[in-house]
Amino acid sequence: MKRLGLRPRRLAAAGLLLLVAGCSTGPSLENQSAVTAPPGDSHHLTIGSAGFTESDLLAQMYSLLLKQAGYRTSLLTVANRELYEPALESGQIDVVPEYAATFADWLNAKTNGPDAPAVGSPDLTTTMRALRRLATPRGLTVLDPGRAVDQNAFAVARSYAEEHHLKTLSDLGASGLRVRLAAGDECVQRPYCEPGLKKTYGIDITAVDPKGVGTTQAKSAVRNGQDQMVLTTTTDATLDQFGLVLLTDDKHLQNADYVVPVVNRSRAGSTGVTKALGKLNDVLNTADLASMNQQVDSWRRLAQDVARTYLKDKGLLK
């Protein structure tokens, strides 16, 4: 995905590794006093971005809302979660937009090992409970999610959907159609992908075409009829350009990847930060995220400008 818009303050990966190595990575699991200490309220906050369009947009909105609440902010892009999560624990990054189920599973693997059973689930309440249980001992506070969710999703050509009367993944399973799926090569093993489509929906996946998740190549293959379905995301704003439509995940195969702000408790755990970022929950939804992604990726607008315009239009920014 493209990284467009305002160039945030960046830190080279090697430099960040040195900084992380030289700092505490947050309170140990045994040091509960660090966890239960009063939440901090630093007046200069670093907002992290994972370097793709949607993360940049969310970081820009966080920054603008916090500035309006009286904080000084700077932006830092670190595309690798293996780097930015320890930086969040140590306080080099104070706030970052995350995805509930994905982050819960990532922290679970970090805490309990790569073979630990997944804790993310399609149920948001269950997922948030697991995420907060894992985040709290690391000095992290997970704020409330809003309505925006960036889940895995599956799309087919509009003409294909109309011809076979498809609106849901259940419809596709019931149709008995043979489906070649454009996705990442990991799809053959991931429970939300080929195995889940077969088990949950009874879809006859004949092959996985390893063209990546939501890539231009993958969507073009479905448009051209080489493949019948593509793995993408719910905030993919380019589907219309390829003549594609999403099929509803009516049996909730996908996990609850709602957007959630995660903060370093000792520096950004105050009610001021929570209140400022919480305002976004009242307005931001999945369709809004998709629209903003489109403005940056397709219309070549700056992420900073798109974020500012959105917040002003919603009455959150003066």
Side-chain angles (χ1 to χ4, degrees):
M1 283 177 269
K2 298 178 179 66
R3 189 183 305 159
L4 302 175
L6 179 69
R7 296 290 182 184
R9 179 167 63 90
R10 300 177 188 275
L11 195 61
L16 184 59
L17 277 171
L18 288 173
L19 285 171
V20 170
C23 299
S24 166
T25 56
S28 69
L29 301 184
E30 295 79 17
N31 187 5
Q32 295 300 312
S33 63
V35 175
T36 58
D41 193 21
S42 173
H43 292 289
H44 185 184
L45 299 175
T46 299
I47 317 299
S49 167
F52 57 93
T53 296
E54 187 169 291
S55 188
D56 286 346
L57 284 162
L58 289 164
Q60 291 284 358
M61 287 190 284
Y62 290 1
S63 178
L64 290 165
L65 289 170
L66 288 168
K67 282 181 180 178
Q68 182 166 260
Y71 295 90
R72 290 187 297 121
T73 66
S74 55
L75 275 76
L76 176 65
T77 296
V78 184
N80 189 321
R81 186 179 276 116
E82 282 75 10
L83 292 177
Y84 75 67
E85 190 279 332
L88 182 63
E89 289 189 30
S90 69
Q92 295 173 63
I93 294 174
D94 303 305
V95 184
V96 69
E98 262 293 356
Y99 300 93
T102 295
F103 197 45
D105 284 336
W106 194 88
L107 287 180
N108 186 45
K110 182 177 180 179
T111 302
N112 299 311
D115 297 326
V119 295
S121 79
D123 182 74
L124 178 59
T125 300
T126 301
T127 297
M128 287 296 296
R129 187 181 299 119
L131 174 55
R132 284 172 166 152
R133 183 177 65 247
L134 290 160
T136 298
R138 296 184 175 279
L140 307 179
T141 296
V142 182
L143 304 187
D144 289 340
R147 293 179 289 160
V149 56
D150 189 349
Q151 292 172 308
N152 294 304
F154 296 91
V156 298
R158 182 177 288 105
S159 58
Y160 182 83
E162 291 173 351
E163 178 184 357
H164 299 288
H165 309 289
L166 306 177
K167 293 185 177 179
T168 68
L169 289 171
S170 288
D171 292 340
L172 182 58
S175 73
L177 292 166
R178 292 165 62 84
V179 176
R180 181 176 164 94
L181 175 62
D185 54 9
E186 72 279 3
C187 177
V188 296
Q189 296 178 327
R190 296 290 172 86
Y192 66 80
C193 205
E194 181 184 1
L197 291 172
K198 289 181 174 179
K199 180 179 179 180
T200 302
Y201 289 106
I203 298 173
D204 185 7
I205 305 294
T206 60
V208 172
D209 187 3
K211 286 183 164 58
V213 180
T215 62
T216 296
Q217 185 184 20
K219 284 180 280 194
S220 295
V222 175
R223 178 183 59 190
N224 300 336
Q226 178 183 345
D227 298 327
Q228 287 71 51
M229 188 162 67
V230 59
L231 171 61
T232 182
T233 67
T234 53
T235 59
D236 187 336
T238 66
L239 296 179
D240 279 345
Q241 299 174 30
F242 292 88
L244 307 182
V245 293
L246 292 179
L247 296 181
T248 301
D249 179 20
D250 53 306
K251 293 184 179 179
H252 306 291
L253 172 63
Q254 302 305 320
N255 284 343
D257 260 333
Y258 284 73
V259 175
V260 289
V262 182
V263 305
N264 177 289
R265 175 183 170 86
S266 66
R267 289 183 50 81
S270 69
T271 55
V273 171
T274 300
K275 184 176 179 181
L277 297 182
K279 292 179 179 179
L280 199 56
N281 288 351
D282 297 331
V283 298
L284 184 64
N285 57 38
T286 305
D288 292 342
L289 265 184
S291 175
M292 285 189 281
N293 286 338
Q294 181 180 39
Q295 291 176 59
V296 175
D297 287 339
S298 299
W299 304 355
R300 298 297 187 264
R301 292 189 61 194
L302 299 178
Q304 179 190 35
D305 294 341
V306 173
R308 185 182 299 276
T309 298
Y310 177 79
L311 294 179
K312 285 187 174 181
D313 288 347
K314 297 297 183 179
L316 300 184
L317 201 65
K318 297 177 181 177

